[in-house]
């Protein structure tokens, strides 16, 4: 099905994380028509997966909910989930964009009652929790999901499951025959706010992520610490339920390394300090080790770092981790050379956390034709062309910086659309 909509004064925002939400709202609240699309079945991006976010250590709901409400109340913004751009043609001020919408298998009749989930016999790895637990194949992506509509993973559904979820829905919302849809949008400018993916820890051979459940990533810690996460908020060694008595944070896991991510992701040191806080709240006696190249907590974050570095049960080792070895008792040994003393260290711990960086999402999937990206996959803005990058699609950054860049991107997009 093809449907054509939009005007040359309209703006398309691709990606509905905190950056895309910000750009969409800034542009719509001064009167532009905005299309906001996201490839996920929900908006909110990676921030929705965090337990708390620095500097205020508030839950993601406090930043996202207000934006969702503003979007719901704004008739200038049209939203599409499970949507990706397949082609862009035309010129600044007059683009024609083809967007493909993947089938959700649940239509707008959905009242989010949860009866399909209750009836569904099939389970899949929970994508929101990085597969650390299972969810039903008919599911609400997470408890704060916006739009609040269920989604079905048809590949994960058995014949019996298909019959059960269809029969369970009293609103006729389950539609397993739904097909991909194509729409054409006419817009004046495009904001690319496609964000980041966690760098794939499996690619860092020497850190042996796959060799032990006791080696986890920083984003897995965020999900474990979250009350709506796979462990109900408890940080444990996955699979064993062991409460860690010692934890090592491995900074720059794959970052500032030309074999992996050659850049610094800006937030990983702060994320580790934040996660030390999570650990302290749950395990006041745990020994914490932080292995780092440099600790980078720019500007306003220095105070946060000072506080955490005064933790008496925390040891900071300036040295890049060379190897992590899995032990038969479920623990791991972190091997590094202390760059200050020259000492070779072998630290046995119950859990190692890899502080993996943020890789631009176009580094893996590739950008649509016409979008310029640098060699790392970051989108290069070209306001003259009407293609503007925002947030972590442009460079790795924290939420405060990404929202500033998204407001700036909205301003550029408005200028192009009104030329
Ligand atoms: C471990 C960790 C902890 C962190 N903790 C904090 C913290 O406490 N405080 C803080 O300020 N920052 C923190 N950050 C950084 C924070 O997550 C980012 O600043 C924030 O996610 C940037 O938002 P964004 O919208 O630019 O990108 P994202 O959150 O990645 O959102 C991008 C959106 O675009 C969508 N998308 C991607 N590709 C496409 C496509 N092709 N088509 C359509 N849609 C697409 C995605 O589905 C997603 O919804 C942390 C990062 C890490 C790694």
């Amino acid at each position: 099905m093809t449907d054509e909509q939009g005007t040359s004064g309209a703006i398309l925002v691709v990606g509905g994380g905190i950056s895309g939400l910000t750009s969409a709202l800034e542009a719509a609240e001064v009167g532009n028509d905005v299309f906001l699309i996201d490839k996920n079945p929900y908006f909110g991006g990676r921030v929705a997966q965090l337990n708390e976010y620095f500097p205020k250590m508030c839950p993601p709901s406090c930043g996202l909910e207000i934006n969702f409400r503003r979007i719901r109340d704004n008739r200038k913004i049209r939203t599409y989930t499970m949507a990706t751009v397949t082609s862009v043609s035309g010129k600044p001020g007059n683009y024609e964009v083809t967007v493909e919408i993947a089938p959700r298998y649940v239509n707008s009749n959905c009242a989010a009652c949860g009866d399909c989930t209750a009836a569904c016999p099939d389970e899949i790895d929970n994508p929101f929790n990085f597969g650390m637990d299972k969810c039903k194949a008919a599911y609400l992506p997470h408890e704060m999901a916006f739009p609040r509509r269920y989604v079905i993973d048809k590949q994960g559904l058995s014949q019996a499951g298909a019959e059960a979820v269809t029969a369970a829905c009293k609103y006729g919302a389950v539609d397993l025959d739904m097909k991909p849809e194509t729409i054409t949008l006419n817009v004046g400018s495009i904001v690319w706010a496609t964000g980041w993916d966690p760098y794939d820890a499996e690619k860092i051979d020497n850190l042996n992520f796959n060799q032990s459940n006791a080696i986890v990533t920083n984003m897995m810690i965020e999900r474990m610490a979250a009350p709506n996460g796979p462990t109900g908020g408890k940080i444990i060694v996955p699979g064993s339920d062991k409460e860690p008595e010692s934890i090592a944070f491995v900074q720059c896991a794959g970052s500032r390394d030309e074999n992996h991510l050659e850049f610094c992701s800006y937030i990983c040191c702060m994320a580790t300090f934040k996660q030390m806080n999570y650990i302290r709240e749950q395990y006041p006696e745990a020994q914490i080790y932080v292995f780092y190249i440099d600790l980078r907590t720019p500007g306003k974050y220095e105070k946060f770092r000072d506080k955490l570095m005064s933790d008496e049960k925390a040891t900071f080792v300036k040295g890049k981790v060379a190897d992590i070895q899995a032990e038969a008792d479920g623990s791991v040994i972190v091997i590094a050379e202390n760059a200050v003393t020259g000492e070779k260290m072998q630290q046995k711990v119950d859990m190692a956390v890899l502080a993996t960086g943020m890789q631009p999402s176009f580094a893996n999937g590739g950008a649509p034709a016409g979008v310029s990206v640098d060699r790392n996959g970051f989108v290069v803005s070209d306001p003259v062309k009407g293609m503007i990058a925002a947030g972590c699609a442009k460079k790795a950054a924290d939420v405060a910086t990404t929202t500033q860049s998204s407001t700036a991107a909205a301003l550029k997009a408005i200028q192009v659309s009104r030329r």
Side-chain angles (χ1 to χ4, degrees), residues 209-229:
F209 175 64
N210 264 344
Q211 303 296 311
S212 166
N213 282 344
I215 307 174
V216 299
T217 67
N218 49 8
M219 280 307 281
M220 290 166 74
I221 291 284
E222 290 295 330
R223 291 313 304 141
M224 273 197 264
N228 64 353

Tab-separated table of all heavy atoms in Angstrom, residues 209-229:
chain	number	residue	atom	x	y	z
A	209	PHE	N	34.147	-12.215	26.263
A	209	PHE	CA	32.763	-11.998	26.705
A	209	PHE	C	31.932	-13.289	26.668
A	209	PHE	O	31.136	-13.556	27.572
A	209	PHE	CB	32.144	-10.920	25.810
A	209	PHE	CG	30.689	-10.650	26.058
A	209	PHE	CD1	30.258	-10.146	27.271
A	209	PHE	CD2	29.739	-10.897	25.067
A	209	PHE	CE1	28.908	-9.894	27.510
A	209	PHE	CE2	28.395	-10.639	25.289
A	209	PHE	CZ	27.980	-10.142	26.514
A	210	ASN	N	32.177	-14.092	25.654
A	210	ASN	CA	31.366	-15.316	25.483
A	210	ASN	C	31.770	-16.467	26.383
A	210	ASN	O	31.088	-17.480	26.441
A	210	ASN	CB	31.510	-15.807	24.031
A	210	ASN	CG	30.380	-15.302	23.200
A	210	ASN	OD1	29.381	-14.868	23.757
A	210	ASN	ND2	30.537	-15.346	21.888
A	211	GLN	N	32.903	-16.319	27.051
A	211	GLN	CA	33.456	-17.466	27.787
A	211	GLN	C	32.883	-17.616	29.194
A	211	GLN	O	33.086	-18.645	29.828
A	211	GLN	CB	34.986	-17.340	27.902
A	211	GLN	CG	35.699	-17.222	26.576
A	211	GLN	CD	35.530	-18.471	25.737
A	211	GLN	OE1	35.733	-19.569	26.223
A	211	GLN	NE2	35.130	-18.296	24.485
A	212	SER	N	32.211	-16.609	29.704
A	212	SER	CA	31.738	-16.700	31.084
A	212	SER	C	30.529	-15.793	31.295
A	212	SER	O	30.506	-14.656	30.814
A	212	SER	CB	32.860	-16.257	32.042
A	212	SER	OG	32.345	-16.041	33.333
A	213	ASN	N	29.556	-16.298	32.042
A	213	ASN	CA	28.395	-15.464	32.408
A	213	ASN	C	28.807	-14.311	33.310
A	213	ASN	O	28.057	-13.355	33.478
A	213	ASN	CB	27.368	-16.303	33.184
A	213	ASN	CG	26.556	-17.166	32.256
A	213	ASN	OD1	26.551	-16.937	31.058
A	213	ASN	ND2	25.874	-18.156	32.817
A	214	ALA	N	29.999	-14.446	33.930
A	214	ALA	CA	30.452	-13.408	34.867
A	214	ALA	C	31.036	-12.203	34.140
A	214	ALA	O	31.437	-11.235	34.773
A	214	ALA	CB	31.471	-13.992	35.831
A	215	ILE	N	31.106	-12.277	32.807
A	215	ILE	CA	31.566	-11.113	32.035
A	215	ILE	C	30.332	-10.498	31.375
A	215	ILE	O	29.670	-11.128	30.554
A	215	ILE	CB	32.612	-11.518	30.962
A	215	ILE	CG1	33.754	-12.313	31.603
A	215	ILE	CG2	33.142	-10.277	30.251
A	215	ILE	CD1	34.756	-12.887	30.602
A	216	VAL	N	29.999	-9.295	31.787
A	216	VAL	CA	28.781	-8.635	31.285
A	216	VAL	C	29.165	-7.266	30.711
A	216	VAL	O	30.302	-6.827	30.864
A	216	VAL	CB	27.721	-8.466	32.401
A	216	VAL	CG1	27.297	-9.809	32.958
A	216	VAL	CG2	28.236	-7.557	33.522
A	217	THR	N	28.201	-6.606	30.080
A	217	THR	CA	28.476	-5.257	29.558
A	217	THR	C	27.797	-4.210	30.454
A	217	THR	O	26.888	-4.531	31.233
A	217	THR	CB	27.935	-5.080	28.127
A	217	THR	OG1	26.509	-5.121	28.194
A	217	THR	CG2	28.458	-6.141	27.179
A	218	ASN	N	28.215	-2.966	30.250
A	218	ASN	CA	27.631	-1.876	31.044
A	218	ASN	C	26.112	-1.744	30.796
A	218	ASN	O	25.352	-1.433	31.712
A	218	ASN	CB	28.364	-0.544	30.807
A	218	ASN	CG	28.573	-0.204	29.335
A	218	ASN	OD1	28.045	-0.877	28.449
A	218	ASN	ND2	29.359	0.840	29.073
A	219	MET	N	25.667	-1.990	29.555
A	219	MET	CA	24.220	-1.888	29.308
A	219	MET	C	23.467	-3.037	29.981
A	219	MET	O	22.313	-2.874	30.395
A	219	MET	CB	23.919	-1.841	27.807
A	219	MET	CG	24.117	-0.475	27.179
A	219	MET	SD	23.220	0.874	28.005
A	219	MET	CE	21.552	0.675	27.379
A	220	MET	N	24.105	-4.207	30.102
A	220	MET	CA	23.450	-5.302	30.840
A	220	MET	C	23.282	-4.919	32.317
A	220	MET	O	22.261	-5.226	32.942
A	220	MET	CB	24.264	-6.601	30.688
A	220	MET	CG	24.209	-7.181	29.277
A	220	MET	SD	25.462	-8.451	28.977
A	220	MET	CE	24.811	-9.827	29.894
A	221	ILE	N	24.275	-4.213	32.848
A	221	ILE	CA	24.162	-3.751	34.253
A	221	ILE	C	22.985	-2.780	34.393
A	221	ILE	O	22.207	-2.835	35.352
A	221	ILE	CB	25.479	-3.081	34.727
A	221	ILE	CG1	26.582	-4.114	34.853
A	221	ILE	CG2	25.286	-2.320	36.045
A	221	ILE	CD1	26.506	-5.005	36.079
A	222	GLU	N	22.827	-1.883	33.384
A	222	GLU	CA	21.681	-0.954	33.450
A	222	GLU	C	20.368	-1.728	33.545
A	222	GLU	O	19.488	-1.397	34.342
A	222	GLU	CB	21.644	-0.039	32.212
A	222	GLU	CG	22.751	0.991	32.130
A	222	GLU	CD	22.711	2.036	33.239
A	222	GLU	OE1	21.623	2.369	33.742
A	222	GLU	OE2	23.805	2.528	33.597
A	223	ARG	N	20.237	-2.766	32.719
A	223	ARG	CA	18.972	-3.516	32.725
A	223	ARG	C	18.822	-4.305	34.036
A	223	ARG	O	17.732	-4.397	34.590
A	223	ARG	CB	18.875	-4.455	31.513
A	223	ARG	CG	18.722	-3.797	30.172
A	223	ARG	CD	17.663	-2.693	30.132
A	223	ARG	NE	16.358	-3.158	30.562
A	223	ARG	CZ	15.522	-2.430	31.319
A	223	ARG	NH1	15.814	-1.230	31.737
A	223	ARG	NH2	14.363	-2.937	31.654
A	224	MET	N	19.924	-4.885	34.522
A	224	MET	CA	19.810	-5.646	35.783
A	224	MET	C	19.439	-4.735	36.944
A	224	MET	O	18.660	-5.117	37.819
A	224	MET	CB	21.127	-6.352	36.105
A	224	MET	CG	21.258	-7.708	35.464
A	224	MET	SD	22.566	-8.642	36.258
A	224	MET	CE	23.916	-8.326	35.181
A	225	ALA	N	19.992	-3.521	36.942
A	225	ALA	CA	19.731	-2.607	38.068
A	225	ALA	C	18.320	-2.019	38.004
A	225	ALA	O	17.816	-1.501	39.010
A	225	ALA	CB	20.767	-1.473	38.059
A	226	ALA	N	17.685	-2.101	36.839
A	226	ALA	CA	16.362	-1.464	36.691
A	226	ALA	C	15.276	-2.313	37.349
A	226	ALA	O	15.231	-3.533	37.155
A	226	ALA	CB	16.047	-1.283	35.208
A	227	PRO	N	14.383	-1.681	38.103
A	227	PRO	CA	13.310	-2.443	38.764
A	227	PRO	C	12.447	-3.231	37.768
A	227	PRO	O	11.914	-4.273	38.105
A	227	PRO	CB	12.476	-1.369	39.458
A	227	PRO	CG	13.354	-0.166	39.543
A	227	PRO	CD	14.337	-0.246	38.439
A	228	ASN	N	12.349	-2.729	36.521
A	228	ASN	CA	11.556	-3.455	35.520
A	228	ASN	C	12.449	-4.354	34.647
A	228	ASN	O	12.055	-4.765	33.563
A	228	ASN	CB	10.766	-2.479	34.629
A	228	ASN	CG	11.684	-1.578	33.807
A	228	ASN	OD1	12.898	-1.586	33.993
A	228	ASN	ND2	11.114	-0.816	32.895
A	229	GLY	N	13.659	-4.633	35.132
A	229	GLY	CA	14.609	-5.428	34.350
A	229	GLY	C	14.483	-6.921	34.608
A	229	GLY	O	13.567	-7.369	35.314
